[in-house]
Amino acid sequence: MKKKIALITGVTGQDGSYLSELLLSKNYVVYGLCRRVSYFNRNRIEHLRGNKRFKLVYGDLSDYTSLESIIKLSRPDEIYNLGAQSHVGHSFEIPEYTSEVTGLGSLRILEAMRFLGLKKTKFYQASTSELFGEKQKGINSFNEKSLMVPKSPYGVSKLYSYWITKVYREAYGLFACNGILFNHESPRRGETFVTRKITMFLAKKILGSKDILYLGNLNAKRDWGHAKDYTELQWKILQQSRADDYVIATGKTTSVRDFINECCKYLKIKIIWQGKGVNEKAYILNGKKKDLIIKVDKKYYRPLEIDYLRGNPQKALKKLNYKLKYNLKDLVKDMLDSDIKRFKKSM
Ligand code: NAP
Ligand code: G4F
């Protein structure tokens, strides 16, 4: 039987690496699009390089020609567009670049599919809970029908991609889907996202570090799931008989402060919080002594913030016939164990 072929943009990222592993385990041939950078950015996929079905190709979401030639070369059955400037905070500093890559990147792929007449190729767009924006009156959790009011250049760029995916589905009959994913984390999460900042810091702390962690808004609430569950659902979305859009979430929401509390509980660290707003601080209790470990730094505040995100994954879990394997406790354990192991090795 002919092996299925997949093309993944963002293959060097958190989701790209887990999705590659999953597809290779299902006997796919995987083409991964890498962009040219001046540093080594392949740590997350290094272990896959020996596999003959795993092929890396250079390209860039800002460069139509490269995308067209990679699609022509690979003739994929499935395209997963996971590539993006994916940091919400930084999108305020580089809004034009974010729009170019995170917004127009999807259009370039869809146009190449249309131009090359790839009617049977399925397309997955990495949409996001950032589309929903601020907490809306009377709304406790967001689903596929909720109002979308993005609050950052990143969110606006993703809204463009979300809609252009729907438009190409309706206008040209392409099998094009949106996975509207809420935050998902893992030991491979980028080191500047808040959960990974926290787990790396606490892992170093219990190994003796004297550093202090500086964070922004501790009150923000996010619906945090595990990237392994969510990448499996990305694949499932493209295995359906009809193209559709799905919210992927856990249905639970936790503040940044409570994520830290959960980590400390796992590590059996006693933590207390004092002060409010920019003056809030966290201390570790050591007998009668208290050691300062966390301070707020205004530089991590965003010009606009989304305070509350909670998704309703009912449609996805039912239609895709899936039960999440990880809860928040499992996620915290997985991230902390992995960071502790990594830092122990380098000591
Ligand atoms: P990530 O770890 O930040 O990975 C982003 C990937 O995009 C990296 O491989 C990066 O390459 C690549 N990329 C950046 N600019 C590019 C360009 N100009 N051309 C081609 N590739 C480029 O993100 P992730 O957490 O895996 O998320 C995957 C996707 O889901 C992203 O689109 C993100 O916006 C979206 N999403 C994520 C979450 C979440 O909570 N993780 C939730 C909803 C949606 P380098 O390695 O070279 O930087
Ligand atoms: O970890 P974050 O940077 O994730 P954010 O902004 O929710 O975006 C992530 O999830 C989206 C899905 O909703 C994705 F689409 C997107 O690509 C990305 O993966 O921040 C989470 C919360 C925010 O409210 C932020 O203000 O944590 C708050 N925060 C507090 N201190 C911090 C920090 N965020 C970061 N990155 N760094 C801090 O020091």
Side-chain angles (χ1 to χ4, degrees):
M1 209 172 78
K2 187 182 165 282
K3 286 186 177 52
K4 272 197 180 177
I5 300 170
L7 169 64
I8 302 177
T9 73
V11 74
T12 53
Q14 171 187 256
D15 288 12
S17 66
Y18 283 120
L19 184 65
S20 298
E21 276 172 13
L22 179 79
L23 297 182
L24 289 170
S25 77
K26 293 184 183 297
N27 216 22
Y28 278 62
V29 173
V30 176
Y31 286 82
L33 182 138
C34 294
R35 62 178 172 150
R36 150 74 194 148
V37 282
S38 61
Y39 49 89
F40 185 76
N41 67 341
R42 297 181 186 178
N43 294 316
R44 295 182 179 104
I45 49 169
E46 200 45 20
H47 60 295
L48 302 176
R49 295 289 294 283
N51 191 323
K52 288 206 173 81
R53 285 182 284 110
F54 188 57
K55 301 166 193 292
L56 296 181
V57 277
Y58 276 112
D60 200 294
L61 284 165
S62 62
D63 182 324
Y64 174 81
T65 319
S66 69
L67 296 170
E68 190 195 304
S69 52
I70 289 161
I71 294 172
K72 214 181 208 164
L73 165 88
S74 55
R75 308 294 293 186
D77 299 292
E78 296 167 12
I79 299 178
Y80 296 87
N81 183 31
L82 309 183
Q85 188 304 92
S86 71
H87 200 286
V88 176
H90 294 324
S91 78
F92 287 96
E93 288 146 356
I94 44 169
E96 190 180 335
Y97 175 74
T98 303
S99 310
E100 193 62 64
V101 172
T102 307
L104 290 178
S106 53
L107 172 72
R108 294 190 180 100
I109 296 176
L110 289 162
E111 265 297 278
M113 285 169 67
R114 190 176 76 85
F115 179 71
L116 295 169
L118 301 186
K119 286 242 157 43
K120 289 197 175 143
T121 301
K122 295 178 171 182
F123 174 79
Y124 173 89
Q125 170 57 24
S127 286
T128 163
S129 45
E130 282 289 311
L131 298 180
F132 298 117
E134 69 193 11
K135 190 160 190 304
Q136 296 161 27
K137 221 174 161 195
I139 305 277
N140 229 332
S141 63
F142 298 104
N143 65 21
E144 293 78 5
K145 295 197 172 112
S146 300
L147 189 65
M148 292 177 173
V149 198
K151 292 277 171 198
S152 65
Y154 169 82
V156 172
S157 307
K158 283 284 188 183
L159 186 63
Y160 176 84
S161 281
Y162 167 83
W163 272 111
I164 205 69
T165 298
K166 282 167 95 73
V167 165
Y168 272 57
R169 176 164 83 213
E170 284 169 29
Y172 304 117
L174 294 186
F175 193 107
C177 307
N178 285 289
I180 308 168
L181 272 55
F182 282 64
N183 298 52
H184 47 283
E185 322 292 309
S186 74
R188 298 185 196 167
R189 182 54 145 153
E191 297 183 3
T192 59
F193 295 98
V194 78
T195 56
R196 192 72 200 292
K197 255 180 96 168
I198 294 164
T199 59
M200 282 175 51
F201 169 79
L202 289 173
K204 283 187 193 151
K205 190 62 120 189
I206 64 154
L207 296 174
S209 156
K210 299 271 179 267
D211 288 352
I212 291 177
L213 177 65
Y214 292 89
L215 293 173
N217 183 5
L218 299 167
N219 294 319
K221 287 187 156 187
R222 291 291 182 272
D223 181 334
W224 277 301
H226 198 298
K228 270 196 173 174
D229 271 325
Y230 289 23
T231 43
E232 196 168 340
L233 285 159
Q234 291 171 6
W235 172 74
K236 280 193 162 249
I237 287 174
L238 289 199
Q239 308 317 306
Q240 303 309 300
S241 51
R242 202 172 64 84
D244 204 351
D245 306 322
Y246 299 86
V247 160
I248 309 289
T250 69
K252 300 199 170 71
T253 189
T254 308
S255 68
V256 172
R257 188 185 300 97
D258 280 340
F259 183 87
I260 298 169
N261 289 335
E262 201 58 56
C263 291
C264 289
K265 203 160 129 195
Y266 176 67
L267 295 172
K268 299 193 170 61
I269 293 175
K270 281 192 187 148
I271 185 173
I272 55 162
W273 295 91
Q274 289 181 346
K276 278 217 155 70
V278 278
N279 296 317
E280 187 164 0
K281 296 182 179 73
Y283 301 85
I284 288 184
L285 292 179
N286 271 329
K288 283 190 181 158
K289 244 180 69 197
K290 57 176 201 180
D291 296 327
L292 177 65
I293 59 159
I294 298 172
K295 279 176 100 171
V296 171
D297 185 334
K298 264 172 68 184
K299 98 170 172 203
Y300 295 111
Y301 284 176
R302 295 167 182 180
L304 267 180
E305 173 66 285
I306 296 179
D307 291 316
Y308 178 93
L309 286 176
R310 178 172 170 229
N312 178 345
Q314 241 177 356
K315 170 181 166 183
L317 298 183
K318 191 164 172 228
K319 289 210 166 170
L320 305 176
N321 189 23
Y322 194 81
K323 193 170 180 304
L324 295 174
K325 298 181 185 97
Y326 293 84
N327 63 24
L328 188 75
K329 273 199 176 70
D330 304 323
L331 174 67
V332 159
K333 177 179 172 355
D334 197 21
M335 292 179 78
L336 283 168
D337 286 353
S338 161
D339 281 332
I340 292 169
K341 196 168 156 198
R342 176 177 149 208
F343 293 131
K344 262 191 185 154
K345 250 194 210 160
S346 63
M347 277 170 82

